[in-house]
């Protein structure tokens, strides 16, 4: 059973690889004549880093119909498929400890391209390249040099997110009894290792204590049940914890020593020194609404600690107008609270939670989905700084405020019949806090074309369509006459009104062309980047409609559809650009050597490019 | 309920308590909460936690103090010198427990690793300082998992299974490993399991993935033939891997031959042989759990070199047809192929060694992925959900699979045995439930070497080929447990109405009357074609309790002791019997058998021993010796709560 799932996944991956390989839609063959089966594909599986062949790899032949069973290669790494019909074949080599392996893949992150086999054709030199995973490991010890056992270790990758470098959690492990940890499947990149003690570890310990005495446990359970719900237990929590520490021994992420991993790199000496600290309580009362919202979440976070909540919230979900977070190490935090109202659920429809779509009863599927107006109930939020030095903060008064809304209307600019408004939805995308977008879902549009978002915590938001109806697409977002299509709306204490979202039925522009290298040959490995000429628009690159990248086809052809009209820079370069180009500094450099193009609405523009290095 | 059952409950309960403690997913408006909020006390408990072997202090141990009685939880940590302080302790009876990763958790008063601790009785404002809390280092098992070529196999789930007196002991495994600890091999094939209690273990590895089904191993001849094909027809032009632009991509790719035919013709080795795959491997390197070698770990030992070689084995398919009692092909019959001796394996390995299928409309079935070994193939009719499943039919056949597919098997269904009767509720203090739907009656084989999970009252066993048979009682209280094969069974039940744990705690089976005698906790024999009828399973809310104080000759509490309460009738002296109970007195000398830990009504002996090996209380020779040493006799009638103080010594 499990095996067949693996196979399905593998085939799925092959199909994806095949699709990703072809940049252009494949036209159908003139006639589906019965193919003769005399084709041969022969090749070798190699470790690209060493150039040596790899034995024991499994080579699968994919493509529609999955014509033949996979093969296991011998010591010479050679594989052969015979009796093949004319077709496009996706080949993939897999081997434990390696990644890559797709036909046509020339770099660790490069695209896969299928092998096009003609009728009776024989291809004799397909090379499938594998790269060894890198390794990051080490030993975690405490301030006395003793191993720190069973601590959580996170592998964080340094990635560009919306124009800024952020650490993204990739893998999690735990130190063993010698304090050692190991990540054995690391793809090339820049990484940081962080170590911390899970607050859950204390709960496990309490649980073990309870389990040690069955009668205590059952007695406690009886009490819980007889009380008709969980009564308050009196809890006194005075544990020292290992706070989040970044390798080698930094208290904040910015001071961490990054680890650069290439294919097959072994960095198993990334040791971490941790020191346990006393912890304190942060507790107090919740003021603002008459009753504490039932779905209020309260967290202590710090951006320098990856915004991971610290401590153990002893009162989470209890209501009752008070909160109590124990086990907080000294540090500077923001005490955040948010409660987003649940979407109203009309009769017969299951109510969605915050941020969930609420399709109307009886209609199924995305195409016919309808949307409700954002809930009328307020969003409650709070955010206040808390500094813990060497004592509990038990008198905190957390004042919840109502979130502000973005209000406006939809305008249809075009000749086509206006889209059915109940099937349209807009969405406020939080620019500063990607996770924050989860707290507000799509907001429907009223019959008169007006809309309002759910209450939003203060911050910067972009207005986007989360659902539309062909041929209508977003043309512009204007606030009090100012174009904020690509610039964020500042939400503060008051509602933002007079937002006009204009839709157009005219086609977007597209840009296509061919990339050649300096010698004038087609370049099959190039990457094409396009970004707005207006530097003001470089602040929100992650969510911009005007910023795109595209790989070229095997013949060097690129195609960028659905471009808003305007002025752009377009640049052809190597694949290494993709990792870090979405930042203003890099765009500044690229713009000096890029080609400037202007596209008009509905224009199908052609622009050939010459590949340049950065 | 048996002891393993209690442990299962403990896990459930712990989760419930945790959610109360952490407040997770509990939404309770303030006005609905009980008015009394527990008060923090003024007592103090302080002491030192040390390594029980070396007497060295242990730093950074988590010290938990828990009282169910007064709903208090205190958590602290030991400092560098192993010292800890738990303030604001109210009066009450507490469990004090120390834990630290890589160590074996221990309760206060435990004399050896794995022994129960004693309860601490705190008076109001008491300052209990200078306590000594002992912990012991856990053992370590480490090794490498490789494949046939000697190359590391990553991402393999390696498990330890503890072996108890009567075979694999699931309970002891969970206790010893802190809830069934597992470990995955890393990229070097290395695993390392630490914090293991001393004892005897089986080590098993369950590799995942492996080559896709039907993968064919290429030989040099295959490659040479391919190269000849390239040369023979026309000279090969050096050609890039990408030979066409995507514009020539055809829209469909037709397989050149039917897939099924290819699967067989391109199979791994022989033309008709089954495809290869991983099977669970047991130390020192066998796919057969019966040939596995156990390892015995001493306290704190580091056992290295526990290496295993994972081999690809042919995974056969078993095909056949099931016929009903009327001779017609039977559709929708559930088939389970279960490995013999699977009782020695872990649940995950057991699942890996168990395959299932259902018959099609023509009665045919195919079970796949069976590695070489001895199996039992069981067929069982499946009632429609909600429908009465009175007419469960079954068939069973032993199978030996030795790398070949088995086809053309014929299975003839026969009528299963059944146990039927009614449930009665003996309500002495609680209102009787309005209806009895939801009461579960279970007919389970007793725990044996072959079937260690028989005693675990749970769904896990049920889903694994009908080891346990249960029946939800109908509203009028009648039940019929069907589809039983001949053998020995225990009849028990649980009041699971609506899944409320309070029901489980309040109502327990007080008697199972069959042919005029009470067979609760005693095995009954079900013979071929034997239908057991008119069984009355009586639940009662009246629970028996025993408590008392143990003192020494000088009248001081005798804490270094264990109280054993066991049935006078030897028929109840078996492993995990719920009529053999043990408890340790608290610091005040008080011992308790209450709540779920209370005795079933009946005739008992009460004895005191100074030390008890885990599981020793179930040994007949041990109990025989106790019974001869003039124990106190205690008889419990229904709902009787007794007090029995004990004085030891002259």
């Amino acid at each position: 059973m499990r095996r067949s799932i693996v196979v399905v996944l593998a085939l799925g991956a092959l199909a994806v690889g095949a699709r990703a390989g072809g940049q252009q839609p494949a036209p159908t063959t003139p006639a589906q004549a019965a193919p003769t089966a005399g084709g041969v594909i022969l090749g070798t599986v190699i470790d690209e880093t060493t150039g040596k062949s790899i034995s024991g790899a499994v080579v699968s032949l994919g493509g529609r119909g999955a014509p033949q069973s996979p093969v296991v290669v011998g010591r010479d790494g050679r594989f052969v498929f015979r009796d093949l019909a004319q077709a496009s074949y996706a080949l993939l080599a897999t081997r434990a400890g390696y990644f890559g392996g797709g036909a046509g893949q020339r770099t660790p992150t490069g695209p896969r391209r299928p092998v096009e086999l003609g009728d009776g054709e024989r291809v004799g030199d397909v090379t499938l390249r594998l790269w060894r995973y890198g390794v990051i490991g080490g030993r975690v010890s405490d301030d006395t040099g003793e191993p720190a056992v069973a601590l959580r270790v996170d592998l964080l990758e340094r990635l560009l997110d919306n124009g800024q470098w952020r650490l993204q959690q990739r893998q999690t492990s735990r130190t063993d009894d010698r304090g050692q940890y190991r990540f054995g499947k690391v793809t090339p990149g820049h990484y940081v290792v962080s170590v911390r003690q899970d607050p859950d570890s204390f709960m496990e310990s309490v649980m073990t204590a309870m389990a040690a005495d069955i009668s205590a446990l059952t007695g406690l359970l009886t009490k819980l049940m007889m009380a008709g719900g969980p009564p308050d237990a009196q809890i006194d929590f005075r544990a020292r914890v290992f706070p989040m520490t970044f390798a080698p021994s930094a208290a904040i992420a910015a001071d961490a020593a990054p680890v650069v991993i290439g294919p097959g790199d072994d960095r198993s000496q990334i040791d971490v020194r941790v020191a346990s600290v006393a912890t304190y309580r942060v507790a107090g009362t919740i003021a603002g609404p008459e009753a504490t919202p039932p779905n209020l979440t309260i967290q202590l976070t710090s951006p320098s600690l990856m915004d991971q909540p610290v401590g153990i919230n002893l009162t989470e979900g209890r209501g009752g107008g008070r909160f109590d977070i124990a086990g907080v190490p000294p540090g500077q935090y923001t005490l955040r609270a948010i409660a987003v109202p649940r979407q109203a659920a009309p009769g017969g429809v299951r109510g969605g939670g915050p941020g969930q779509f609420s399709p109307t009863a009886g209609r199924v599927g995305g195409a016919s989905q309808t949307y409700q107006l954002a809930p009328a109930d307020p969003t409650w939020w709070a955010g206040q700084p808390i500094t813990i030095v060497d004592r509990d903060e038990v008198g905190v008064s957390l004042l919840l405020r109502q979130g502000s809304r973005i209000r406006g209307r939809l305008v249809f600019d075009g000749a086509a019949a206006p889209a059915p408004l109940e099937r349209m939805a807009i969405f406020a995308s939080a620019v500063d806090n990607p996770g924050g977008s989860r707290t507000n879902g799509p907001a429907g549009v009223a019959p008169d074309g007006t809309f309002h978002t759910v209450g939003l915590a203060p911050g910067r938001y972009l207005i986007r369509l989360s659902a539309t109806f062909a041929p209508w697409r977003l043309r512009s977002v204007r606030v009090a006459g100012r174009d904020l299509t690509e610039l964020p709306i500042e939400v503060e204490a008051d509602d933002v009104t007079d937002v006009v979202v204009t839709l157009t039925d005219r086609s977007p522009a597209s840009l296509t062309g061919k990339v050649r290298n300096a010698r004038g040959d087609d370049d099959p490995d190039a990457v094409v980047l396009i970004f707005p000429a207006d530097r003001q628009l470089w602040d929100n690159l992650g969510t911009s409609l005007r910023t795109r990248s595209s790989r070229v086809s095997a013949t060097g052809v690129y195609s960028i559809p659905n471009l808003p009209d305007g002025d752009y820079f377009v640049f052809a370069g190597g694949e290494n650009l993709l990792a870090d180009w979405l930042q203003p500094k890099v765009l500044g450099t690229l713009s000096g050597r890029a080609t400037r193009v202007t596209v008009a609405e509905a224009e199908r523009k052609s622009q050939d490019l010459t590949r340049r290095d950065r | 309920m048996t002891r393993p059952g209690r442990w299962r409950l403990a896990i459930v309960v712990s989760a419930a308590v945790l959610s109360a403690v952490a407040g997770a997913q509990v939404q309770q408006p303030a006005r609905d909460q009980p008015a009394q909020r527990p008060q923090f006390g003024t007592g103090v408990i302080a002491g030192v936690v040390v390594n029980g072997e070396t007497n060295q202090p242990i730093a950074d141990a988590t010290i938990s103090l828990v009282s169910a009685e007064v709903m208090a939880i205190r958590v602290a940590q030991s400092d560098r010198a192993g010292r800890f302080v738990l303030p604001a302790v109210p009066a009450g009876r507490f469990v004090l427990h120390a834990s630290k990763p890589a160590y074996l958790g221990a309760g206060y008063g435990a004399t050896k690793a794995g022994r129960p601790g004693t309860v601490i009785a705190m008076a109001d404002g008491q300052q209990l300082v200078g306590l000594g809390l002992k912990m012991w280092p856990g053992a370590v098992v480490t090794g490498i998992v490789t494949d046939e070529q000697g190359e590391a196999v990553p991402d393999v789930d390696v498990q330890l299974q503890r072996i108890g007196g009567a075979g694999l002991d699931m309970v002891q495994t969970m206790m010893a490993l802190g809830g069934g600890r597992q470990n995955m091999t890393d990229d070097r094939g290395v695993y390392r399991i630490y914090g293991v209690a001393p004892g005897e273990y089986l080590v098993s590895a369950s590799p995942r993935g492996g080559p896709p089904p039907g993968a064919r191993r290429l030989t040099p001849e295959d490659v040479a033939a391919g190269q000849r094909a390239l040369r023979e027809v026309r000279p090969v032009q050096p050609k890039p891997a990408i030979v066409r632009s995507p514009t020539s991509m055809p829209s469909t790719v037709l397989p050149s031959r039917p897939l099924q035919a290819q699967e067989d013709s391109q199979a791994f080795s022989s033309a008709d042989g089954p495809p290869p795959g991983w099977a669970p491997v047991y130390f020192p390197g066998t796919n057969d759990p019966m040939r596995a070698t156990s390892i015995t770990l001493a306290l704190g030992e580091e056992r290295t070199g526990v290496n295993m070689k994972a081999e690809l084995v042919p995974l056969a398919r078993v095909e056949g047809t099931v016929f009903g009692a009327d001779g017609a092909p039977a559709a929708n019959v559930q088939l389970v192929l279960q490995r013999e001796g699977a009782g020695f394996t872990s649940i995950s390995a057991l699942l890996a060694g168990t395959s299932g299928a259902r018959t099609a409309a023509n009665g045919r079935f195919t079970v796949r992925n069976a590695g070489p070994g001895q199996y039992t193939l069981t067929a069982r009719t499946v009632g429609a959900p909600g429908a009465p499943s009175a007419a469960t039919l079954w068939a069973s056949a032993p199978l030996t699979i030795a790398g070949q597919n088995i086809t053309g098997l014929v299975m003839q269904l026969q009528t299963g045995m059944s146990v039927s009767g009614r449930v009665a509720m003996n309500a002495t203090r609680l209102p009787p439930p309005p209806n009895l739907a939801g009461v579960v009656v279970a007919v389970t084989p007793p725990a044996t070497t072959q079937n260690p999970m028989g005693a675990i009252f749970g769904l896990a066993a049920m889903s694994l080929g009908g080891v346990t048979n249960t029946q939800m009682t109908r509203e009028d209280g009648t039940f019929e447990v069907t589809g039983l094969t001949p053998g020995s069974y225990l009849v028990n039940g649980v009041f699971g109405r609506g899944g409320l744990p309070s029901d489980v705690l309040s109502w327990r089976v007080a008697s199972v009357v069959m042919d005029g005698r009470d067979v609760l906790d005693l095995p009954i024999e079900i013979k071929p074609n034997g239908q057991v009828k008119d069984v009355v399973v009586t639940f009662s809310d009246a629970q028996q309790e025993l408590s008392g104080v143990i003192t020494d000759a000088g009248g001081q509490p005798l804490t270094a002791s264990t109280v054993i309460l066991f049935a006078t009738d030897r028929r109840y002296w078996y492993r995990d019997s719920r009529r053999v109970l043990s408890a340790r007195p608290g610091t005040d000398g008080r011992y308790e058998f209450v709540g779920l830990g209370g005795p079933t009504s009946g005739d008992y002996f009460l004895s005191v021993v100074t030390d008890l090996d885990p599981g020793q209380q179930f040994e007949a020779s041990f109990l025989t010796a106790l019974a001869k040493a003039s124990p106190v006799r205690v008889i419990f009638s229904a709902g009787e709560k007794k007090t029995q103080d004990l004085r030891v010594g002259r």
Side-chain angles (χ1 to χ4, degrees), chain B residues 93 117-119 550 558-563 583-587 589-591:
Chain B
R93 297 174 70 79
T118 60
V119 167
I550 306 177
L558 187 67
T559 56
S561 61
T562 300
V563 187
R584 287 203 60 192
T587 52
R590 185 178 166 81
Y591 71 93

Side-chain angles (χ1 to χ4, degrees), chain A residues 63-268:
Chain A
R64 273 188 253 175
Q68 286 193 11
S69 311
V71 296
V72 183
V73 303
R75 282 187 193 286
D76 58 0
R78 303 281 279 169
F79 64 89
V80 61
F81 292 97
R82 301 173 63 184
D83 299 330
L84 296 172
Q86 172 183 344
S88 171
Y89 291 103
L91 286 155
L92 182 67
T94 55
R95 179 83 169 93
Y98 291 88
F99 67 97
Q105 187 176 359
R106 290 144 77 119
T107 59
T109 53
R112 298 168 180 175
R113 296 201 175 100
V115 174
E116 306 295 337
L117 194 69
D119 190 14
E121 189 173 4
R122 287 138 174 82
V123 178
D125 60 350
V126 175
T127 302
L128 301 180
R129 296 172 178 84
L130 288 166
W131 290 266
R132 223 179 222 298
Y133 283 112
V135 172
I136 293 180
R139 182 176 186 268
V140 182
S141 54
D142 67 16
D143 42 357
T144 64
E146 289 293 307
V149 183
L151 294 192
R152 175 181 164 138
V153 187
D154 285 300
L155 183 64
L156 314 167
E157 186 173 6
R158 195 164 166 263
L159 291 175
L160 261 187
D161 176 23
N162 205 13
Q164 293 190 320
W165 288 104
R166 283 188 214 275
L167 292 174
Q168 172 121 19
Q169 197 236 326
R170 287 296 188 203
Q171 296 179 44
T172 294
S173 183
R174 230 167 242 285
T175 57
D176 67 14
D177 59 305
R178 301 162 302 177
Q180 294 190 345
Y181 72 94
R182 184 176 176 93
F183 297 104
K185 286 171 77 172
V186 184
T187 50
H190 288 61
Y191 293 92
V192 164
V193 172
S194 80
V195 176
R196 68 186 159 117
Q197 187 162 13
D198 259 334
D200 290 355
S201 62
F202 294 103
M203 285 302 158
E204 280 169 26
S205 156
V206 173
M207 197 168 111
T208 314
M210 289 182 173
D213 183 343
I214 293 289
S215 67
L217 196 54
T218 52
L220 188 54
L221 182 82
T222 309
K223 278 202 165 64
L224 288 176
M225 293 306 152
M226 297 311 163
D232 281 345
Q234 27 157 310
I235 301 169
D236 187 89
F237 182 93
R238 280 160 210 255
R240 294 174 67 83
V241 303
F242 293 107
M244 188 178 275
T245 305
F246 299 86
S249 59
I252 60 171
D255 293 343
V259 183
V260 182
I261 290 290
D265 285 353
D266 185 344
R267 303 291 306 278
S268 49

Side-chain angles (χ1 to χ4, degrees), chain A residues 470-494:
Chain A
W472 297 98
R473 65 185 177 85
L474 182 64
R475 172 92 180 83
S476 68
V477 177
R478 289 181 169 271
V479 181
R482 188 173 168 222
D483 187 345
L484 293 180
T485 318
E486 296 283 333
L487 294 173
I489 296 171
E490 302 272 353
V491 173
E492 293 166 343
D494 298 315

